[in-house]
Amino acid sequence: MEKSIFTRIMDGEIPAKVEYEDEQVIVIHDISPKAPVHLLIIPRKPIPTLMDVEGDDFAILAHIHAVAQKLAQKLELKGFRLINNCGKEGGQEVFHIHYHFLAGFQDESA
Ligand code: AMP
């Protein structure tokens, strides 16, 4: 299978601004931010979509939520949005599972 753009970033083949990393995930700044803070939490395991998660890999999703908490504390954020686009019909463009971590909106009612 061809490497995803996110695996290529993890392998150092493409540059990215890394905010956090550990043995299970890497967190980078989105190249085309949709909010003042727009990070991507990406598991190292290249699972294509949320619908492909099974068995022990559900623990990765729990870890992603723990990392989101850590990021909010590190960046001193009062709130954030955690979004997964699943499948082409769900707006997913990169088929290596990832969660968008968005924060810093001026007007949350907008
Ligand atoms: P999605 O539509 O959920 O698959 O989101 C893919 C995201 O990856 C988009 O928000 C893109 O802006 C972002 N993206 C694509 N290429 C890069 C890159 N080289 N570095 C950082 N973010 C990227």
Side-chain angles (χ1 to χ4, degrees):
M1 201 174 72
E2 199 179 314
K3 275 190 194 181
S4 74
I5 191 148
F6 295 152
T7 298
R8 294 184 67 199
I9 287 170
M10 287 173 210
D11 289 350
E13 295 170 11
I14 295 175
K17 189 174 171 201
V18 178
E19 183 65 38
Y20 171 85
E21 60 184 318
D22 61 27
E23 68 290 343
Q24 288 190 68
V25 300
I26 186 169
V27 179
I28 63 168
H29 289 254
D30 197 292
I31 204 166
S32 178
K34 307 292 187 298
V37 178
H38 187 171
L39 304 173
L40 300 172
I41 308 176
I42 310 164
R44 293 192 184 278
K45 186 164 182 175
I47 301 165
T49 83
L50 187 53
M51 290 301 285
D52 298 306
V53 176
E54 54 187 14
D56 291 348
D57 287 344
F58 278 105
I60 298 171
L61 304 187
H63 184 66
I64 285 170
H65 282 75
V67 169
Q69 270 192 5
K70 251 186 218 172
L71 291 170
Q73 286 160 356
K74 182 183 177 198
L75 301 174
E76 298 183 345
L77 299 168
K78 289 184 183 152
F80 58 87
R81 296 181 196 175
L82 197 57
I83 296 170
N84 172 257
N85 295 326
C86 181
K88 207 172 162 193
E89 289 77 3
Q92 186 173 0
E93 289 175 3
V94 178
F95 286 80
H96 178 149
I97 196 170
H98 56 280
Y99 280 72
H100 296 259
F101 179 101
L102 299 148
F105 299 98
Q106 287 297 325
D107 180 359
E108 278 295 335
S109 64

